Structures are given as structure tokens and as C-alpha cells.
């Protein structure tokens, strides 16, 4: 059996017998006015953060959702794009497709605005998405891509890039590891399926996103996720996993490299009212300007005593220039 088959078997089990709290962080699902999330759906919240970012959901975008789980985020996306086929949910495990369809039917009874036709559940997987090139505005996946080994993750990211329209967004939430996960855990297929041992480090994860062609990445949240303790997991030291929410844009990669925004700002503290780096960044004295990490490093090197760079907040939501 391959590790992907082990994952499929695991998700068949948790579709048939829900495991409350399998992946989720200690927060309630995103609440929205007039949205009622059925209990059965809440119990199958197998995501480790959220991929539903309100700022990306204007104008009823078409969303391709990979790995539907119990359908929670498909319902949340449908809230913003209320039309038939607005959300295409791709899922290889038949039992999970059936569970999601059941939960969405309950959602239709509990939410007058929702019709099950808004979410089209399709058989398929992350490596062969059943839509044409440049067909959708948003691709979303929550707590799935971390299961993939790096070559498969690269394939899945390239496939997401293929189906996105120019300017489209890849909205993801995944565990990342604060240091490389030792091989004996990486090779444990069941732990990998449970989103506990396939995570890459932040650097590796963001590099693979950029390698797939995304020119801009924004980190929307980063928080503690799970602790792999030394005793249970046969480690020299405890290993913290974090959950990372990101939005990656299908835009050209600038010549000097992709822009990754982590919430840093640059603040000019020199004697002039304005500082212009002649590369598109204008800093008003004393006023923080959001910058990507690449620009932050360049500005710091250019004017080490006159420009202060603030730390990453790991919560960036637009407004920067790069
Ligand atoms: C950790 S669960 C996350 C479910 C959902 N995103 C959520 O937030 O509740 C992973 C989901 O991906 C599905 N899956 C597993 N292998 C897949 C693959 N190769 N391609 C697409 N989906 C897959 C699983 O069956 C399951 O529904």
C-alpha cells in the first residue's frame, strides 16, 4: 500500500466514524451572519486553520476546494458565492464525498440562503483537478497538502497553479514544523495521514509554493498546532508543529524574487520627510509601511541606522507595496 492509499483508508474511517478534534485548532469555525453550521459538519472539522479569507471573496468567485472533508469550508465559501456550481469540491474518498453531501443537505435545511447545488462534489484528487487551465478564481485546501511527500506536494501546487486564473489565489492552511521532522516519523504513514508527521519547515513550505510559480505569498496566520513530545514520538527534544494560513497569488515572480509578506513594516527615522529607495518604496518619516520580507532585508541593508524594520506579525492582510 502506498502512503496515499493509507491516507485514503484513514479518511474513509474518519468519514464513517467522525473523530472530533482530529486536526482542528482550539477555535470555533468562522462565524458569519446568517450561517448555521450543522453539528455533524462541526464534528468533522478536519482543518488546522482557515482558508476562508473574506478579503479574497468579493464578486462571487468560483472556488475549487481540494479535499472536502465534512464540507465545512465548502459551505463557508458557498456563503460568498451563492450560485449553482460556485464551489467545486474534489475528493477521492467515496465515504467522504457521501458524508459531505449528507452534511450539506442538512445545511440546506438549516440555512434558507443555501442550496446544495452551490457545491458540486466531484471524485478526483489533488494531482488531476477536473477543470480546465485558468478556470477558477480560488483554489483552497485545508490540512491536506502537508500529508504529501515533497515531490507530490510540488505536483499538487503546480496543478493548483494550472487551474487558477491569472491573479487567482491559492488559499491554504497546513501544519509546518519548527525543525525538520525526523525520518522515522515522516515514514510513519498513519501519523502522516493524521497531519502529524509530513509537515515541512516554514522555509521549505514557502519555497515550494514559489517554485510552483506563485509570485506573491501572504501569511495570514501562524499559531501553535500540536506538540510532538519527546517520549511518545521517540525524539531527542519536544517538537512543536504550527499551523500556517497563507494566500498565494498567481502573479509573475519579480526578477529579484517572490514577495512574501509576513507582516513586517519599514519605518524611516532619518532627517528628511520622505525616503525613496528608487525601487518603488516611499517611506514617510515615522510612519510604518508594510513591506515584504525581501524588501525589508534590502531596506535594512541600505539604511541600517535610519530605517527600522519591525518583526513579522504573521498576520498580513494586504496593504503593502513591493
Ligand atoms: C485533513 S482532511 C481535511 C478536510 C477539510 N479540508 C477540512 O478542513 O475539514 C483531508 C481531506 O483530503 C482528502 N484527501 C486525501 N487524499 C487526497 C488527495 N490525494 N487529493 C485530494 N483530497 C485528498 C481526505 O479524504 C480528506 O477529506
Amino acid at each position: 500500500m502506498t502512503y496515499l492509499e493509507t491516507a485514503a483508508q484513514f479518511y474513509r474511517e474518519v468519514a464513517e466514524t467522525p473523530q472530533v478534534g482530529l486536526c482542528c485548532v482550539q477555535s470555533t469555525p468562522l462565524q458569519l451572519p446568517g450561517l448555521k453550521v450543522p453539528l455533524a459538519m462541526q464534528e468533522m472539522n478536519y482543518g488546522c486553520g482557515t482558508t476562508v479569507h473574506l478579503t479574497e471573496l468579493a464578486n462571487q468567485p468560483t472556488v475549487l476546494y481540494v479535499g472536502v472533508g465534512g464540507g465545512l469550508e465548502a459551505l463557508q465559501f458557498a456563503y460568498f458565492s451563492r450560485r449553482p456550481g460556485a464551489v467545486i469540491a474534489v475528493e477521492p474518498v467515496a465515504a467522504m464525498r457521501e458524508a459531505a453531501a449528507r452534511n450539506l443537505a442538512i445545511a440546506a435545511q438549516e440555512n434558507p440562503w443555501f442550496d446544495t447545488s452551490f457545491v458540486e462534489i466531484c471524485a478526483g484528487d489533488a494531482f488531476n483537478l477536473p477543470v480546465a487551465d485558468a478556470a477558477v478564481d480560488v483554489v483552497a485546501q485545508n490540512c491536506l497538502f502537508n500529508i504529501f511527500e515533497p515531490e507530490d506536494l510540488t505536483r499538487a501546487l503546480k496543478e493548483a497553479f494550472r487551474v487558477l486564473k491569472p491573479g487567482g489565489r491559492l488559499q491554504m492552511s497546513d501544519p509546518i514544523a519548527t525543525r525538520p521532522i525526523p525520518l522515522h516519523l515522516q515514514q510513519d504513514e498513519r501519523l502522516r495521514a493524521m497531519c502529524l508527521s509530513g509537515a515541512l519547515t516554514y522555509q521549505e513550505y514557502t519555497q515550494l509554493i514559489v517554485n510552483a510559480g506563485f509570485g506573491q505569498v501572504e501569511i495570514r496566520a501562524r499559531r501553535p498546532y500540536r506538540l510532538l513530545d519527546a517520549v511518545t514520538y521517540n525524539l531527542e527534544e519536544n517538537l512543536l508543529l504550527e499551523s500556517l494560513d497563507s494566500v498565494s497569488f498567481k502573479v509573475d515572480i519579480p526578477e529579484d524574487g517572490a514577495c512574501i509578506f509576513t507582516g513586517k513594516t519599514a519605518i524611516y527615522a532619518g532627517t528628511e520627510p520622505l525616503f525613496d529607495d528608487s525601487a518603488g518604496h516611499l517611506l514617510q518619516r515615522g510612519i510604518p509601511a508594510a513591506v515584504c520580507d525581501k524588501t525589508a532585508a534590502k531596506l535594512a541593508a541600505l539604511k541600517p541606522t535610519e530605517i527600522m524594520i519591525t518583526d513579522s506579525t504573521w498576520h498580513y492582510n494586504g496593504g503593502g507595496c513591493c
Side-chain angles (χ1 to χ4, degrees), residues 11 23 44-47 65-69 91-93 96 125-127 142-144 148 195:
Y11 284 101
C23 303
M44 291 183 69
N45 177 7
Y46 298 151
Y65 193 86
V66 192
V68 72
E91 170 62 55
V93 177
M96 198 60 96
D125 67 37
F127 312 115
N142 193 335
C143 219
L144 167 64
F148 299 152
C195 303

Side-chain angles (χ1 to χ4, degrees), residues 25 29 34 76 79 104 118 132 139 217 270 279 316 322:
V25 287
Q76 291 171 331
Y79 179 91
L104 288 165
F118 295 176
V139 172
V217 181
Y316 177 78
C322 190

Side-chain angles (χ1 to χ4, degrees), residues 4 125-128 150-160:
L4 290 171
D125 67 37
F127 312 115
N128 296 290
E151 319 76 70
D152 289 333
L153 174 55
T154 295
R155 280 204 293 149
L157 289 168
K158 286 189 173 157
E159 183 63 355

Side-chain angles (χ1 to χ4, degrees), residues 36-47:
K36 188 153 188 287
V37 178
L39 188 62
M41 209 174 241
Q42 291 183 40
E43 288 177 351
M44 291 183 69
N45 177 7
Y46 298 151

Side-chain angles (χ1 to χ4, degrees), residues 192-216:
R192 188 177 267 279
M194 294 170 76
C195 303
L196 287 176
S197 72
L200 299 175
T201 62
Y202 168 81
Q203 291 297 345
E204 293 166 333
Y205 183 82
T206 49
Q207 189 60 54
L208 289 189
I209 296 172
V210 173
N211 290 354
F214 293 92
Q216 180 164 321

Side-chain angles (χ1 to χ4, degrees), residues 98 106 137 187 191-192 214 250 268 322:
E98 285 157 21
I106 300 171
D137 303 290
Q187 289 171 342
L191 282 183
R192 188 177 267 279
F214 293 92
K250 185 174 177 175
Y268 175 59
C322 190

